[in-house]
């Protein structure tokens, strides 16, 4: 296992050395030239694509760091708004935003480090095993043509001039081989750790991003609450309130007709009774839409099972929760699942939906997966229900991921950080 890891580190070190030297040098030169041309106006056209290439280069290194050495390097970049203006004005705005992002300048500093110290660590990760093999090839007889052609040859600190010195080179090469087995993976990891020192966000950048995220989610939460209050007001005005007004008018008519036309009065009373029942049903639906009683009494798992029974398609629910989460989180998770099931029923053409709800003890989060066998093609485009759902979950530091290839299936995964307490007793 160690030998395989060392051989992989050797080949990967060679690839990284080439990329660090060629790729980082090229991008660094292009970036410096592009920035130097900014006063002339030409840099406005060249800087965004060049810096985009730098970010792509850095992101590829992040990917390799995670895959090859399990070194995770978070993204520090500020989110760029969509280019709505286009043309030169859009380029100027994009260029300005890129230059104001501290991560841009840290990327350029990383390029300078990567083509020097990064190149060195990657080359060292490659060098030990090939250099050790060279000692053995000298002992196998290649020392003669090499020495005759060059007039002398040194292997490390050994002057190779005979078979005995070539044998010493082989002995030293064995040491390099053993050293490479242990050191090459460490040097490859050191290369990525060096990159993380420049590519990862600083504590100040992380704090600024956290403040920005909290400000954005606070605005989203306020907007969502205002929209929900408007919905409740509209439902009350158009539904239960209108029926109660109609019932009051019917009772007034009954009062006037009760002596003159008792039969008509009975009809109006029956209509008023029906209106009162419909108003009561609408009020119950409204209350259920605000906070379902089954959610408060039985918890998220049973509430979703009850919701599944009311859906027009087959829904299979697998809920394994150790207790109860905070009420706002349970409510947010419930309505997120409700919206996803409604979308699946209306738009996906699905016949079956699977809902998996469980708590990840290691990550300390509630994880929900909603999968359907529909036609796929769902995307959280700006202004869509999925985009709004993602923003609402952001108020709880929740994340939403979508996998929906054309032809299906569609899988929406939700993760909300939370802790569970002992289940509250039912009423």
């Amino acid at each position: 296992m160690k030998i395989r890891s060392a051989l992989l580190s050797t080949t990967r070190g060679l690839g990284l050395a080439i990329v660090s030297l060629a790729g980082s040098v090229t991008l660094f030169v292009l970036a410096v030239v592009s920035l130097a041309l900014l006063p002339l106006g030409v840099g406005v056209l060249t800087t965004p694509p060049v810096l985009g290439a730098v970010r792509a280069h850095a992101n590829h290194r992040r990917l390799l760091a995670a895959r090859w050495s399990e070194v995770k390097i978070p993204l520090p970049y500020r989110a760029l708004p969509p280019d709505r203006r286009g043309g030169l004005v859009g380029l100027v705005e994009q260029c300005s935003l890129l230059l104001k992002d501290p991560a841009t300048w840290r990327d350029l500093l990383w390029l300078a480090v990567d083509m020097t110290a990064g190149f060195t660590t990657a080359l060292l990760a490659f060098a030990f095993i090939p250099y050790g093999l060279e000692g053995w090839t000298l002992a196998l007889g290649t020392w003669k043509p090499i020495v005759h052609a060059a007039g002398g040859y040194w292997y490390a600190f050994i002057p190779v001039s005979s078979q005995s010195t070539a044998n010493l080179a082989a002995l030293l090469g064995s040491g390099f081989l053993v050293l490479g087995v242990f050191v090459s993976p460490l040097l490859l990891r050191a290369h990525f750790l060096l990159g993380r020192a420049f590519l990862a966000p600083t504590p100040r950048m992380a704090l600024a991003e956290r403040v920005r995220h909290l400000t954005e989610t606070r605005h989203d939460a306020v907007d969502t609450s205002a929209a929900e209050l408007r919905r409740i007001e509209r439902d009350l005005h158009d539904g239960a309130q209108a029926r109660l007004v109609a019932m009051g008018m019917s009772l007034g008519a009954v009062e006037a007709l009760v002596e003159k036309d008792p039969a008509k009065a009975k009809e109006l009373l029956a209509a008023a009774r029906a209106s009162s029942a419909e108003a009561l049903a609408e009020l119950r639906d409204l209350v259920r839409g605000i906070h379902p009683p089954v959610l408060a009494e039985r918890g998220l798992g049973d509430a979703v099972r009850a919701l599944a029974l009311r859906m027009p398609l087959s829904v299979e629910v697998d809920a394994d929760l150790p207790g109860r989460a905070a009420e706002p989180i349970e409510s947010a998770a419930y309505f997120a699942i409700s919206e996803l099931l409604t979308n699946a029923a209306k738009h996906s053409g699905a016949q079956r939906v699977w809902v998996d709800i469980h708590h990840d003890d290691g990550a300390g989060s509630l994880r929900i997966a909603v999968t359907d066998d529909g036609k796929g093609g769902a995307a959280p485009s700006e202004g869509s229900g999925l985009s709004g759902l993602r923003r609402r979950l952001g108020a709880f530091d929740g994340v939403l991921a979508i996998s929906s290839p054309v032809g299906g299936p569609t899988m929406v995964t939700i993760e909300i950080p939370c802790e569970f307490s002992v289940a509250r007793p039912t009423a």
Side-chain angles (χ1 to χ4, degrees), residues 235-309:
D235 290 347
L236 284 173
H237 182 272
D238 297 341
Q241 180 179 334
R243 294 190 183 282
L244 290 174
V245 170
M247 186 174 66
M249 295 174 65
S250 297
L251 290 175
V254 168
E255 186 179 5
L257 294 173
V258 67
E259 294 180 356
K260 299 178 181 179
D261 191 350
K264 185 65 175 179
K266 288 183 179 180
E267 290 181 10
L268 292 175
L269 280 174
R273 187 185 303 111
S275 294
S276 68
E278 291 176 357
L280 181 61
E282 289 180 355
L283 285 174
R284 285 174 175 169
D285 289 340
L286 185 62
V287 170
R288 188 181 295 112
I290 298 172
H291 193 79
V294 67
L295 179 62
E297 296 170 2
R298 303 292 301 274
L300 181 61
D302 287 340
V304 173
R305 291 186 182 97
L307 175 65
L309 295 175

Side-chain angles (χ1 to χ4, degrees), residues 354-357 367-371 411-414:
W354 295 266
V355 181
D356 179 72
I357 309 171
R367 290 191 173 180
I368 301 167
V370 179
T371 308
M411 181 175 185
V412 181
T413 305
I414 296 172

Side-chain angles (χ1 to χ4, degrees), residues 85-108:
R85 299 186 181 184
L88 183 60
V89 177
L91 276 175
V92 172
E93 185 178 3
Q94 188 180 18
C95 183
S96 175
L97 291 172
L98 285 170
L99 294 178
K100 289 178 181 178
D101 191 346
T104 296
W105 302 100
R106 287 177 62 82
D107 281 354
L108 296 179

Side-chain angles (χ1 to χ4, degrees), residues 43-394:
V44 174
L45 303 176
T46 59
T47 297
V50 169
L51 293 182
V54 171
R55 290 192 174 187
H57 181 56
N59 286 337
H60 184 255
R61 193 63 56 89
R62 289 184 175 93
L63 179 63
L64 295 182
R67 285 182 176 176
W68 291 354
S69 294
E70 297 183 355
V71 175
K72 296 182 179 180
I73 307 177
L75 291 174
Y77 307 118
R78 294 175 180 174
L80 292 175
D83 184 7
R84 301 186 185 277
R85 299 186 181 184
L88 183 60
V89 177
L91 276 175
V92 172
E93 185 178 3
Q94 188 180 18
C95 183
S96 175
L97 291 172
L98 285 170
L99 294 178
K100 289 178 181 178
D101 191 346
T104 296
W105 302 100
R106 287 177 62 82
D107 281 354
L108 296 179
L109 181 59
W110 167 72
L111 288 177
V113 172
D114 190 54
M115 63 190 186
T116 52
F119 167 75
T120 303
T121 53
L123 189 62
L124 287 175
F126 160 74
F128 282 98
I129 291 180
Y131 197 56
L133 292 175
E134 181 186 346
W136 277 94
T137 59
L138 290 172
L140 292 175
T142 59
W143 67 272
K144 291 181 180 180
I146 293 175
V147 170
H148 291 160
Y153 186 77
W154 286 76
Y155 180 78
F157 53 84
I158 298 175
V160 179
S161 57
S162 62
Q163 185 62 46
S164 59
T165 54
N167 292 338
L168 289 176
L171 183 62
L172 181 61
S174 300
F176 280 122
L177 287 172
V178 174
L179 189 63
V181 169
F182 293 95
V183 171
S184 290
L186 297 178
L187 287 169
L188 188 70
R189 183 176 177 83
H191 171 89
F192 292 125
L193 291 174
L194 178 65
R196 186 173 67 178
F198 295 91
L199 293 177
T202 63
R204 183 175 179 179
M205 292 168 62
L207 180 60
E209 176 61 21
R210 179 64 175 165
V211 171
R212 185 200 65 78
H213 176 72
L214 289 176
T215 302
E216 183 179 297
T217 54
R218 183 191 65 183
H219 290 161
D220 289 338
V222 171
D223 293 343
T224 300
S225 298
E228 187 67 14
L229 287 174
R230 288 194 298 270
R231 182 189 68 82
I232 294 171
E233 181 182 5
R234 184 177 63 252
D235 290 347
L236 284 173
H237 182 272
D238 297 341
Q241 180 179 334
R243 294 190 183 282
L244 290 174
V245 170
M247 186 174 66
M249 295 174 65
S250 297
L251 290 175
V254 168
E255 186 179 5
L257 294 173
V258 67
E259 294 180 356
K260 299 178 181 179
D261 191 350
K264 185 65 175 179
K266 288 183 179 180
E267 290 181 10
L268 292 175
L269 280 174
R273 187 185 303 111
S275 294
S276 68
E278 291 176 357
L280 181 61
E282 289 180 355
L283 285 174
R284 285 174 175 169
D285 289 340
L286 185 62
V287 170
R288 188 181 295 112
I290 298 172
H291 193 79
V294 67
L295 179 62
E297 296 170 2
R298 303 292 301 274
L300 181 61
D302 287 340
V304 173
R305 291 186 182 97
L307 175 65
L309 295 175
R310 300 198 301 270
M311 298 304 298
L313 68 171
S314 174
V315 180
E316 182 178 330
V317 180
D318 181 11
D320 183 15
L321 300 174
R324 300 290 300 272
E327 288 186 7
I329 291 178
E330 282 191 339
S331 181
Y334 174 84
F335 286 110
I337 296 172
S338 175
E339 184 165 343
L340 292 173
L341 291 178
T342 301
N343 288 344
K346 287 183 177 180
H347 308 298
S348 71
Q351 300 298 319
R352 299 190 65 188
V353 181
W354 295 266
V355 181
D356 179 72
I357 309 171
H358 70 278
H359 182 251
D360 188 334
D361 295 328
S365 60
L366 173 65
R367 290 191 173 180
I368 301 167
V370 179
T371 308
D372 67 60
D373 60 355
K375 61 185 179 182
S381 56
E382 190 67 26
S384 70
L386 291 174
S387 177
L389 182 58
R390 175 176 285 171
R391 290 196 301 272
R392 291 196 296 274
L393 291 172

